[in-house]
């Protein structure tokens, strides 16, 4: 089966947004062993969309449409496909109900154009939208599969992964099972990582190894093809172990892990409590940690100490440290960690200070960051970063490095990983 | 003139990378007033690429290709187009020289396959690559323009902007200036906003009005076509004023504004200081505010009070409020705002508490959020949200609503907008 992904939306053609849906669905389809031969983007225009559908039908078996299912006049994907295939649109009760619930919950009046979102192709498999109003659908006709999905990434991604993907998997032959496994690294550059596993990359065939760098992280996607899942995993694990031998020090997680989720897992699993005092990151470290459900047993709270006065008055930072070493210093970061740990009576205290940019902070150039971690009764450990990004890239990198160092430190101290 | 952007590269179809080039070039073309009707992505396959070229020729005047100009066997864009148009490939001296220099600089031996990169379509305008080796080119034939550009963003973006764009501009008549202006709304749904301006949407022609919803925000892009920029702005402002009459209450910014940047502008412009106490958002409000350079004169700091104990011990929350009203309540949010304002001696205090989810908080369903804002000596104002998203969507929405209410409150109190 070969697929084509058709994104519908003038905002894509105006360059207002980037087509991340095509990327997400392509990577999901490759895991199923479905070849994607084309991506197409067309605007909110019925005539041009119809031509795009006809071209896609002439060259692809699976047509996946994203966008154009919303309530407005612009949204015409469903209507155009229905007309083209000569199928009626009928109201889906369940979808209608969830749309009404959505407005009820928000105490908003539902305008009539929202009813349009509950219409589906008659005879199609309806895909529930857990994060929005417009349902998706799968329609089979003339040996073609038409899949209609909503445009917003936070709606289409879970809908595809949990509703559409299993239904597609059912239609595929069991032989030729494809399994992918992602290894996540931090603290090592893509080039250096590739050099260390160059021979594995050179001789790769099955499984394949695909490196990808983003947001300061490097991932390796190992993809194996085999008769069944067990066989595929045997191949994956053999390669995985060879990779870990070379660069295991930088491996922090797998698949959907994030640095913050791994840190949260370790904190919760070991019943450790944590607090943080943040300057340049201004709460981002604590917010990222709080992104993980169940964290409230570990993250008690913390402070944003943006100014020197607040550091002294609220956190109790000794004036001497600021005068002798400055606010962007190992001494300040370590003391922030120690003070917040004591103030909130937690097992761990983290301090983040630095010059996010664009301006330098005194004689400290933009991108200079100090991270302090206080744990048990040990003197705080401090780590220096010299980042080269823009203000908010630097702030995010600082937080990621803080999680990176925290995970390593906890592992060194013998705390279990999960 | 209408354009189609064809990206060539299997890595796009495997979902390894996202097609940011199409977005970049689309936004650049819209500035020139060139309509982009299609994006296409095809793999490193000569037969499929040839078909894509033929389809593009049948529907577009300007064909822009990105990728496939490199040294490897996979790179076959140039070769396929040359063969299709029956044009020879000839070595470009300048390009050849810069490739040799590139290797000399890096003390690397140039492998023969790199010479391939210096080949260009005979008779084409060559575009210099200042950030890589493969030159770009523009070839005119049969009233079609074929533009070949390299794939890496850091090569294609400057090449398009500084080499290709001016050459395209020369070919366009001046009497066709296009100007776009984005209006940003918060606190109103896309459907409701459209109902309020339905007549304007129905009768739109020049300027056009394109609604777009994302992350709880709704934007209207007004695009006018006129003889010159002044004329275009006259058209835009007329429509803009009509829109503001209907839904101006929800308008918070324009073009590249964000809720946090507008709030930061107002705080800085009015020399107001602010602090926050955050529960479910755990520092996200302060972190988003700190994303804006120069905010340190207004954002002094604040607290993350994740647990009830921390609310009492660190913030001074009266036990009675937690016992009588619960932590997810107007009383708690208002008191958090009042207490942090006093503790940090700021003009404004903001309190955020709620049940982010997935679990409910006692009898408060997931998505229930209370925002408190204390300003001057007034009793704190409180706002309730009933959000329906997933945990972290709810946390982000809560922060956006906090900025939304803060901006409105400051405006009501007569503080200047900028």
């Amino acid at each position: 089966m070969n697929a084509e992904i058709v994104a519908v939306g003038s905002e894509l053609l105006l360059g207002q947004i980037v087509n991340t849906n095509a990327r997400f669905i392509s990577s999901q389809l490759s895991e199923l062993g479905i070849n994607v031969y084309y991506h197409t983007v067309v605007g909110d225009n019925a005539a041009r969309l119809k031509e795009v559908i006809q071209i896609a039908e002439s060259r692809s078996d699976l047509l996946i449409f994203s966008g154009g299912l919303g309530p407005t006049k612009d949204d015409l994907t469903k209507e155009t496909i229905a007309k083209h295939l000569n199928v009626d649109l009928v109201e889906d009760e369940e979808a209608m109900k969830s749309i009404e619930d959505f407005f009820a919950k928000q105490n908003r009046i539902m305008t009539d154009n929202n009813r349009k979102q509950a219409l589906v192709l008659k005879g199609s498999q309806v895909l529930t939208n857990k994060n929005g109003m417009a349902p998706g659908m799968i329609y089979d006709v003339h040996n073609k599969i038409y899949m209609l999905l909503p445009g917003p990434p936070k709606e289409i991604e879970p809908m595809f992964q949990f509703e559409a993907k299993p239904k597609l998997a059912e239609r595929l032959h069991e032989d030729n099972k494809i399994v992918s496994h992602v290894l996540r690294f931090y603290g090592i550059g893509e080039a250096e990582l590739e050099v260390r596993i160059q021979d594995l990359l050179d001789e790769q065939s099955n499984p394949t190894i695909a490196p990808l760098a983003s947001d300061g992280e490097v991932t390796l996607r190992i993809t194996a093809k085999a008769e069944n899942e067990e066989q595929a995993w045997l191949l994956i694990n053999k390669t995985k172990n060879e990779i870990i031998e070379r660069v295991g020090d930088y491996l922090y997680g797998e698949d959907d892990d994030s640095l913050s989720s791994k840190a949260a897992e370790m904190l919760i699993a070991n019943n450790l409590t944590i607090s943080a005092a943040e300057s340049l990151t201004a709460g981002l470290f604590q917010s990222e940690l709080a992104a993980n459900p169940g964290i409230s047993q570990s993250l008690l709270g913390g402070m944003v100490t943006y100014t020197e006065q607040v550091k002294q008055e609220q956190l109790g930072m000794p004036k001497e440290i600021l005068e002798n070493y400055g606010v962007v210093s190992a001494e300040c970061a370590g003391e922030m960690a120690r003070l917040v740990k004591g103030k909130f009576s937690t097992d761990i205290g983290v301090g983040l200070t630095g010059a996010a940019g664009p301006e330098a902070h005194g004689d400290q150039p933009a991108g200079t960051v100090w991270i302090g971690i206080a744990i048990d009764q040990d003197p705080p450990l401090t780590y220096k970063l010299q980042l080269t990004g823009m203000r908010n890239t630097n702030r995010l990198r600082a937080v990621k490095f803080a999680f990176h160092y925290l995970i390593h430190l906890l592992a060194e101290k013998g705390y279990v990983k999960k």
Side-chain angles (χ1 to χ4, degrees), chain A:
Chain A
M1 188 188 314
N2 71 305
E4 175 159 356
I5 300 168
V6 179
V8 186
S10 300
E11 63 274 20
L12 287 154
L13 298 177
L14 285 163
Q16 288 175 17
I17 60 172
V18 63
N19 190 4
T20 52
N21 292 341
R23 178 203 180 157
F24 176 80
I25 293 176
S26 294
S27 62
Q28 292 284 308
L29 290 174
S30 78
E31 290 176 11
L32 290 172
I34 296 176
N35 296 316
V36 178
Y37 283 159
Y38 308 93
H39 294 170
T40 304
V41 179
V42 62
D44 305 314
N45 175 290
R48 287 194 285 272
L49 175 55
K50 183 169 192 257
E51 286 171 12
V52 162
I53 294 167
Q54 289 167 327
I55 291 166
E57 286 168 334
S58 73
R59 62 190 183 184
S60 308
D61 312 313
L62 169 61
L63 284 61
I64 300 183
F65 299 84
S66 71
L69 301 185
T72 74
K73 281 211 170 58
D74 283 0
D75 298 302
L76 39 71
T77 303
K78 204 163 49 183
E79 293 72 6
T80 307
I81 292 172
K83 197 166 164 212
H84 169 66
L85 295 176
N86 193 20
V87 188
D88 293 338
L89 289 170
V90 295
E91 184 170 298
D92 182 68
E93 270 188 31
E94 205 178 304
M96 193 62 234
K97 176 145 185 1
S98 75
I99 292 170
E100 286 162 349
D101 293 350
F102 181 87
F103 280 90
K105 262 200 190 151
Q106 304 204 321
N107 308 314
R108 278 169 48 195
I109 302 113
M110 188 180 95
T111 51
D112 249 0
N113 51 359
N114 281 290
R115 307 188 67 83
K116 168 175 178 298
Q117 296 186 96
L119 296 176
V120 299
L121 293 167
K122 189 175 182 180
S124 62
Q125 273 185 297
V126 178
L127 307 172
T128 313
N129 188 338
K130 294 199 172 63
N131 305 289
M133 289 190 281
M137 62 207 87
I138 304 178
Y139 188 76
D140 290 78
V141 65
H142 316 316
N143 292 324
K144 303 277 174 197
I145 304 174
Y146 301 77
M147 183 182 292
L148 285 65
L149 301 171
K154 77 174 205 313
E155 298 180 25
I156 192 174
E157 293 186 5
M159 183 185 284
F160 187 87
Q161 193 146 23
F162 304 115
E163 302 263 327
K165 196 178 176 185
K167 293 184 172 60
L168 280 179
E170 287 166 12
R171 299 158 186 254
L172 298 168
H173 305 303
E174 261 315 300
D175 60 345
N176 198 22
K177 184 76 183 169
I178 295 215
V179 178
S180 276
H181 183 51
V182 175
L183 302 181
R184 301 185 165 274
F185 301 86
Y186 200 74
I188 183 171
E190 183 181 22
E192 187 184 345
L193 187 141
E194 288 197 20
V195 169
R196 299 236 204 145
I197 61 167
Q198 195 57 59
D199 54 326
L200 300 178
L201 291 171
D202 291 342
E203 70 206 18
Q204 64 173 301
S205 61
N206 183 27
T208 58
I209 308 170
L212 183 66
S214 70
D215 292 339
E217 301 190 28
V218 188
T219 62
L220 292 175
R221 174 176 288 265
I222 310 172
T223 305
K225 192 179 284 196
E227 279 187 4
N228 56 51
E229 198 160 340
E230 292 64 31
Q231 293 296 320
W233 273 107
L234 284 176
L235 293 167
I236 286 174
N237 286 323
K238 184 172 172 300
T239 303
K240 177 180 176 177
N241 294 332
E242 287 173 325
I243 292 169
I244 288 174
E245 272 176 29
R246 321 284 184 85
V247 285
D249 290 353
Y250 301 95
L251 179 77
Y252 78 80
E254 302 174 346
D255 297 330
D256 297 334
D257 292 334
S258 70
L259 284 158
S260 91
S261 74
K262 295 306 289 183
E265 276 175 15
M266 286 182 87
L267 292 168
I268 294 168
N270 297 284
N271 296 310
L272 293 167
T273 56
I274 189 168
S275 59
E278 304 187 55
S279 189
L280 85 155
T281 51
L284 188 58
F285 176 84
Q286 296 167 82
S287 177
E288 288 287 311
L289 199 52
N292 303 287
I295 194 64
S296 56
Q297 77 172 67
S298 289
L299 175 63
L300 305 190
M303 307 194 72
V304 174
T305 55
Y306 215 56
T307 63
E308 298 201 1
Q309 191 184 358
V310 165
K311 285 183 184 71
Q312 292 177 54
E313 292 175 3
Q314 301 296 332
L315 191 58
M317 174 70 63
K319 206 159 179 295
E320 301 65 41
I321 288 186
L322 299 178
E323 284 174 349
N324 301 342
Y325 305 101
V327 69
V328 182
S329 66
E331 290 74 11
C332 183
E335 189 64 6
M336 285 169 76
R338 200 183 63 78
L339 289 168
V340 78
K341 173 179 181 292
K343 191 172 168 61
F344 287 77
S345 324
T346 50
D347 302 314
I348 303 165
V350 176
L352 287 144
T353 180
E359 281 77 35
H361 192 293
D363 56 355
Q364 297 297 321
T368 311
V369 176
W370 280 96
I371 298 168
I373 304 180
I375 181 163
D376 302 338
Q377 297 318 311
D378 313 351
L381 291 157
T382 57
Y383 310 85
K384 185 181 188 180
L385 308 175
Q386 198 63 62
L387 304 170
T388 56
M390 316 265 283
R391 177 182 180 86
N392 293 312
T393 309
N394 290 342
R395 294 176 62 238
L396 182 59
R397 292 283 166 89
V399 166
K400 287 190 171 195
F401 269 106
F403 285 124
H404 169 68
Y405 291 128
L406 177 62
I407 291 167
H408 273 255
L409 188 55
L410 292 177
E412 276 171 26
K413 287 183 151 285
Y415 288 107
V416 294
K417 281 227 164 188
K418 203 171 182 173

